[in-house]
Amino acid sequence: MLFFVMYDIESNKVRYNVVKYLERMGCHRIQKSIFLADLDMDKYENIKRDLAEVQALYDNHDSIIICPVSSDLLKSMKVIGQSINLDIITHSKNTLFF
């Protein structure tokens, strides 16, 4: 399952913990508040559940967006500025050894 996780979190402590959690789960940071992941459905569901629990824990004006995306749409994405190595995230490059 290919998906983005995007957030706007005011609290430095909560934001730090969310970042560390997403990295532990195998998500790749592509911008300061945007992660991209290609994980199995169970991990996707766990991330959705866990981030919803974090959001519900305290009174805030934060937002967390989890957005599934197809590989075709991701390949057609236009990046302006510093490039993103999508092959590493999507595991789409094969290496041949001779």
Side-chain angles (χ1 to χ4, degrees), residues 64-75:
I64 301 171
I65 300 167
I66 302 170
C67 180
V69 63
S70 71
S71 58
D72 289 339
L73 287 173
L74 188 65
K75 288 175 187 173

Side-chain angles (χ1 to χ4, degrees):
M1 172 111 215
L2 195 56
F3 61 96
F4 284 102
V5 177
M6 301 164 272
Y7 56 81
D8 183 10
I9 299 174
E10 292 177 354
S11 166
N12 290 334
K13 182 179 178 182
V14 173
R15 188 172 51 251
Y16 174 82
N17 287 324
V18 166
V19 167
K20 292 303 171 192
Y21 169 76
L22 291 171
E23 290 173 340
R24 273 194 321 274
M25 293 298 283
C27 300
H28 299 272
R29 194 176 208 170
I30 60 171
Q31 287 191 350
K32 286 192 178 199
S33 62
I34 302 174
F35 282 78
L36 179 61
D38 188 11
L39 302 172
D40 61 49
M41 187 60 89
D42 288 339
K43 278 196 175 183
Y44 171 75
E45 293 298 331
N46 287 341
I47 289 170
K48 284 190 341 184
R49 184 193 66 238
D50 293 345
L51 292 179
E53 288 177 12
V54 167
Q55 179 69 10
L57 284 176
Y58 66 102
D59 185 31
N60 63 71
H61 295 97
D62 299 346
S63 62
I64 301 171
I65 300 167
I66 302 170
C67 180
V69 63
S70 71
S71 58
D72 289 339
L73 287 173
L74 188 65
K75 288 175 187 173
S76 69
M77 179 176 68
K78 175 66 178 152
V79 177
I80 300 169
Q82 186 175 350
S83 66
I84 300 166
N85 190 347
L86 296 176
D87 293 333
I88 292 173
I89 298 166
T90 60
H91 316 288
S92 61
K93 232 183 201 161
N94 296 323
T95 304
L96 297 175
F97 294 98
F98 295 96

